[in-house]
Amino acid sequence: MSSARSSAADPVAADRPELAAIREFMLIDGKPVHEGQGQPVPVHDPATGRIIAHQPDAGPAQVDLAVQAARRAFDSGTWRDMLPAGRERLLLKLADLIEQNGVELARLETLNNGKLLGIAQGLEVGASAQWLRYMAGWATKITGDTLSLSIPFPPGTHYHAYTLAQPVGVVGAIIPWNFPLLMAVWKIAPALAAGCTVVLKPAEETPLTALRLAELVMQAGFPPGVVNVITGRGETAGAALVAHPGIDKIAFTGSTEVGKLIGRRAMDDMKRVSLELGGKSPVIVLDDCDVDRAVQGAAAAIFFNQGQVCTAGSRLYVQRGLYAKVVQGLADVASSMTLGSGFDPATQIGPLISSRHQQRVLDYIGIGRAEGGRVLTGGAAGEGDGYFVRPTVFADVPQHGRIAQEEIFGPVVVAQPFDSLDDAVRLANDSAFGLGASIWSNDLTRVQRLIPRIDAGTVWVNTHNMLDPNMPFGGFKQSGVGREHGKAVLEMYLEKKSVCMAY
């Protein structure tokens, strides 16, 4: 059986509010900037391959304009010295505006990214508003500590000491294309709550909702220069942003390969840096689990957002007694999934982001076959226009094969059996990555023994890919440096200053 392709008519033909939301400019110091350094960057609808916009490709000159605007907004104290309750109020207003423009934003995201419209509405729009409201609350809760000192010198001298938490300054935020609106909010919300100003560079493939968000920032009443959005290619706009001496911190989400380059360059002038990078997350199924629940959970773990998720459950390890049943069940789910436009409510798998990425995923499928993996379903591109790949299940993949070790970032899962809990730990940790993992079991004793042994920043039990703004998120090993969300993310945007007064 093979995955079907939806044949329903495009339901967006009659009403296209997202087209009116397309912005073909950058937003710097509250004003549109239409010119970059060279040829504009074409932006595509991945479901059809059609060009829907052309964005400026910012070079050093445009990046400098944006950084200078952010620097003025920071150094003047317009934002940094605003009462914390004022920053909170504006962040809450921005959350309201995202919800009020939610239909437009969701449809724009589906058009530009290809994701299912329901996911765009619930996650990109709904979660963005939720994250903003959560981080807004932190603006009024940033504190220092009063310290007791016991220094006996000089005799008779007393000391009063305390710490201050101050905003790090101007933040260069670089985000990926898989969750464009939400990733923008993940970066700007804690930075703004801390009192920083921001230059945001969205992925060249998906700049449209970030630009619309920047307009909503201005509509909410944020001072000009507090949030600036530049567009363009990573090797031009991104590189210029990372290298700019006026940037105090780089916050990056993307591939480990690019993250390493950014980290090295940031260290040249000791910029602060946080890196949320790649993953190859294991899904560990124990032999006491609810099989149907585990099958559905494994399917959601890898096929959500077409597998274009840094925590995608791309490695499936099943205890041997259930291996055949679980893997075949997953293959049955995959083969029944409908490919199509994210605007079509019948669609279960949308397109990948680009023709280049589609080919990359197909190349990995070819590598998996050459390495001896057994394809149970999928393994090919979808029919017709657009950048589709059929959901693919590999069985019996060698542990050190490339498709078991390298991040594919598509709807491709590799499955292997294991015997003991020690085997499960060994296989799960045999990876350069350590971002997420899930365990599927009804035996909490075994689960609790496994959790501390798994090298992952997040371990889910009987669920996968569930995030909350209060739960720190980040990785072990080559999955990154630092944490998103919760109180932990504020530390990424603050400098700690110690003050010592003798009296």
Side-chain angles (χ1 to χ4, degrees), residues 54 69 79 92 104 148 202 239 281 362 407 417 420 443 473:
H54 289 86
W79 183 251
L92 292 173
E104 175 191 82
S148 297
S281 299
L362 292 172
E407 185 175 40
S420 67
D443 186 338
F473 176 75

Side-chain angles (χ1 to χ4, degrees), residues 58-338:
Q62 293 77 35
V63 170
D64 185 62
L65 285 176
V67 174
Q68 293 298 335
R71 175 58 60 190
R72 286 192 300 272
F74 183 78
D75 287 347
S76 69
T78 302
W79 183 251
R80 177 188 61 191
D81 297 337
M82 181 183 288
L83 289 176
R87 295 201 298 271
E88 178 185 42
R89 178 182 59 80
L90 288 175
L91 286 165
L92 292 173
K93 187 173 182 180
L94 179 58
D96 291 341
L97 286 171
I98 286 176
E99 287 185 334
Q100 291 166 19
N101 294 272
V103 171
E104 175 191 82
L105 286 166
R107 293 175 69 89
L108 186 61
E109 201 73 291
T110 294
L111 177 68
N112 190 188
N113 173 272
K115 66 171 74 267
L116 276 59
L117 184 58
I119 300 299
Q121 291 170 331
L123 192 61
E124 297 283 0
V125 173
S128 290
Q130 179 191 12
W131 255 257
L132 276 164
R133 290 181 177 125
Y134 173 85
M135 294 309 309
W138 276 111
T140 59
K141 299 171 184 65
I142 297 171
T143 62
D145 298 302
T146 301
L147 307 177
S148 297
L149 302 186
S150 55
I151 303 171
F153 183 83
T157 303
H158 300 278
Y159 296 92
H160 173 60
Y162 60 94
T163 62
L164 292 173
Q166 299 182 187
V168 71
V170 177
V171 174
I174 303 174
I175 58 173
W177 43 255
N178 55 338
F179 295 99
L181 178 61
L182 185 60
M183 291 294 103
V185 168
W186 279 18
K187 299 304 184 195
I188 70 170
L192 297 179
C196 300
T197 57
V198 180
V199 179
L200 174 70
K201 196 205 89 66
E204 65 190 76
E205 298 88 348
T206 54
L208 300 183
T209 50
L211 290 162
R212 189 70 185 97
L213 174 66
E215 288 186 322
L216 296 178
V217 167
M218 298 307 299
Q219 185 178 336
F222 286 73
V226 171
V227 175
N228 309 271
V229 179
I230 58 170
T231 60
R233 299 176 175 88
E235 60 268 27
T236 51
L241 184 62
V242 173
H244 198 289
I247 292 291
D248 298 300
K249 174 202 163 60
I250 292 291
F252 172 76
T253 295
S255 71
T256 295
E257 178 184 14
V258 175
K260 289 178 179 179
L261 295 173
I262 288 174
R264 293 187 192 105
R265 181 61 185 86
M267 288 301 100
D268 286 347
D269 48 10
M270 295 305 294
K271 288 182 174 70
R272 304 304 186 249
V273 64
S274 55
L275 305 169
E276 196 269 285
L277 307 178
K280 193 72 175 176
S281 299
V283 175
I284 303 167
V285 179
L286 304 188
D287 58 9
D288 65 275
C289 74
D290 180 321
V291 173
D292 291 339
R293 185 179 183 186
V295 166
Q296 294 298 323
I302 183 58
F303 300 133
F304 169 63
N305 207 47
Q306 295 70 251
Q308 298 172 134
V309 183
C310 55
T311 53
S314 53
R315 293 186 290 149
L316 176 62
Y317 299 118
V318 185
Q319 203 152 15
R320 195 172 298 276
L322 291 181
Y323 178 71
K325 189 174 183 180
V326 169
V327 174
Q328 187 57 54
L330 177 59
D332 290 344
V333 171
S335 64
S336 69
M337 299 182 82
T338 300

